[in-house]
Amino acid sequence: MRTINLAITASLVVLMSFTVFAESLPKIRVDGKNFVNESGEIIRFKGVSFSDPDKLEKEGQWTRRYFEEAHNWGCNIVRIPVHPPRLNERGWENYFNLLDKGISWAEELGMYVIIDWHSIGNLNKEKWFRPIYTTSWAETVKFWKMVAERYKNSTTVAFYELYNEPTSQGGELGKLTWATWKPTMEKLIDEINQVDDQTVYLVAGMDWGYFLDETVKNPVKRNNVAYVTHPYPQKRDKPWEPQWEKDWGHVADHYPIMATEFGFMGPDERGAHIPCISDESYGEAIMNYFSEKGISFTLWCFDPHWAPVLISDWNYTPSRQGRFFRQALSEKKE
């Protein structure tokens, strides 16, 4: 089997009060350690993570041009993070109308979409890192069932990223382990499967979506599951590669991995914070490692405000990391 990139023009129809998407992009599924299309060809996804559509729309940037710029960087996928409070403040139908527009633009440009429930905290105990990540189990189920009902016929929406970053350290947020997180994800998948059992589920690792070290021995026992890591540079010290292999990389020998957040920034850049501070040596190391392991990815973040940023302004001027990763995205070699 060979690795391919896809760019197929979309068509869509309007039915009732929302958009219904035609099956214009080849459907993606999990096959062993790979993502494959309907012909069994291996697809490696390379793209960027957007900021929240609510933020972008308020700034006048939730436009087709935003998607075109991502496409011009060489993306075949984009990640759309949905913050629960922003969903509630805008209203669910109004927010989903934004998603409809974005998915249509992605479809027209031949890019797949990850929908990401962008909460950070302990879903089991319903404790959240910051107010912007506040949700509940009931709301999480409601959201994913609505997503599934609305987009179950959309092959463009290829991935449901069930929960952005489960914490695990304990303290005020409570202890969370893979042994208790895995059954929560299985329960959530069972709820969604009542509506749509054909979309790929992305399940995040522990410690802010980083560790996947227990998943091979104790995998999520559901179909069409892949795993997520967020390997920011300061999660480990150099040399990174042996530690990445132990912490999450070995999982790619058994199941697909999608690194849905990572990136770097200098210590003097606006918004610099742990665990993101590094330089181009990290960029080279992570890109080479992903290529060696066949790991898919979406970089953080295609926005001039949410660090580490890929663009410096709304003229889409690449930032420091943006210059490096834009070149990496444009390279066709594997």
Side-chain angles (χ1 to χ4, degrees), residues 202-218:
L202 297 180
V203 175
M206 308 313 301
D207 187 18
W208 305 73
Y210 176 73
F211 282 106
L212 295 170
D213 51 322
E214 297 182 71
T215 57
V216 172
K217 291 184 178 179
N218 190 20

Side-chain angles (χ1 to χ4, degrees), residues 46-328:
K46 305 177 184 182
V48 295
S49 183
F50 289 166
S51 53
D52 193 299
D54 177 76
K55 171 193 184 293
L56 292 164
E57 194 276 338
K58 288 174 179 173
E59 296 175 356
Q61 302 299 333
W62 190 244
T63 64
R64 193 180 193 279
R65 183 191 173 190
Y66 184 62
F67 286 74
E68 289 171 349
E69 294 288 345
H71 180 262
N72 291 341
W73 275 42
C75 298
N76 63 2
I77 193 166
V78 293
R79 176 184 186 240
I80 301 177
V82 177
H83 290 74
R86 297 294 177 257
L87 174 68
N88 289 311
E89 289 166 10
R90 181 172 287 270
W92 286 54
E93 189 61 25
N94 289 335
Y95 196 105
F96 272 89
N97 288 338
L98 290 182
L99 291 179
D100 289 351
K101 290 178 183 178
I103 293 163
S104 294
W105 292 322
E107 193 170 69
E108 291 166 7
L109 294 162
M111 298 189 297
Y112 287 92
V113 169
I114 301 168
I115 296 179
D116 157 44
W117 189 230
H118 204 81
S119 178
I120 299 175
N122 186 337
L123 181 61
N124 288 3
K125 295 185 179 295
E126 299 194 349
K127 294 180 180 294
W128 321 111
F129 175 55
R130 289 177 180 160
I132 188 62
Y133 306 119
T134 299
T135 184
S136 66
W137 168 257
E139 183 178 68
T140 299
V141 171
K142 176 185 175 183
F143 172 76
W144 282 118
K145 284 193 169 184
M146 184 172 290
V147 167
E149 184 62 42
R150 198 167 185 113
Y151 304 122
K152 62 185 176 183
N153 294 319
S154 169
T155 53
T156 302
V157 181
F159 301 96
Y160 298 161
E161 189 172 353
L162 299 177
Y163 190 86
N164 173 45
E165 286 186 350
T167 54
S168 56
Q169 294 93 335
E172 291 183 1
L173 300 182
K175 187 68 175 176
L176 185 62
T177 67
W178 181 251
T180 56
W181 183 240
K182 182 186 83 101
T184 299
M185 292 296 93
E186 291 172 339
K187 182 180 177 183
L188 182 55
I189 290 169
D190 289 343
E191 292 279 359
I192 303 167
N193 277 345
Q194 296 173 28
V195 182
D196 172 20
D197 62 357
Q198 298 299 308
T199 303
V200 177
Y201 297 109
L202 297 180
V203 175
M206 308 313 301
D207 187 18
W208 305 73
Y210 176 73
F211 282 106
L212 295 170
D213 51 322
E214 297 182 71
T215 57
V216 172
K217 291 184 178 179
N218 190 20
V220 174
K221 293 183 173 63
R222 298 296 183 271
N223 294 328
N224 237 18
V225 169
Y227 295 97
V228 165
T229 186
H230 290 176
Y232 285 104
Q234 289 176 291
K235 298 297 286 190
R236 289 296 193 216
D237 295 326
K238 293 182 179 180
W240 289 296
E241 292 86 350
Q243 298 172 94
W244 289 340
E245 182 69 18
K246 178 177 180 291
D247 293 344
W248 48 269
H250 69 281
V251 177
D253 299 330
H254 305 270
Y255 304 103
I257 291 180
M258 182 85 73
T260 57
E261 280 189 30
F262 67 103
F264 71 88
M265 60 195 312
D268 298 326
E269 292 185 58
R270 180 170 55 87
H273 63 283
I274 296 171
C276 304
I277 298 169
S278 191
D279 56 27
E280 287 77 5
S281 65
Y282 162 80
E284 292 174 0
I286 199 78
M287 286 291 97
N288 289 336
Y289 189 75
F290 286 167
S291 181
E292 175 189 336
K293 303 292 290 190
I295 291 171
S296 296
F297 62 84
T298 55
L299 288 147
W300 186 269
C301 177
F302 205 60
D303 185 287
H305 306 126
W306 288 10
V309 302
L310 289 163
I311 54 176
S312 299
D313 52 46
W314 286 121
N315 291 319
Y316 297 94
T317 306
S319 66
R320 176 182 175 179
Q321 72 152 351
R323 290 190 295 273
F324 178 89
F325 286 121
R326 182 174 186 177
Q327 178 63 35

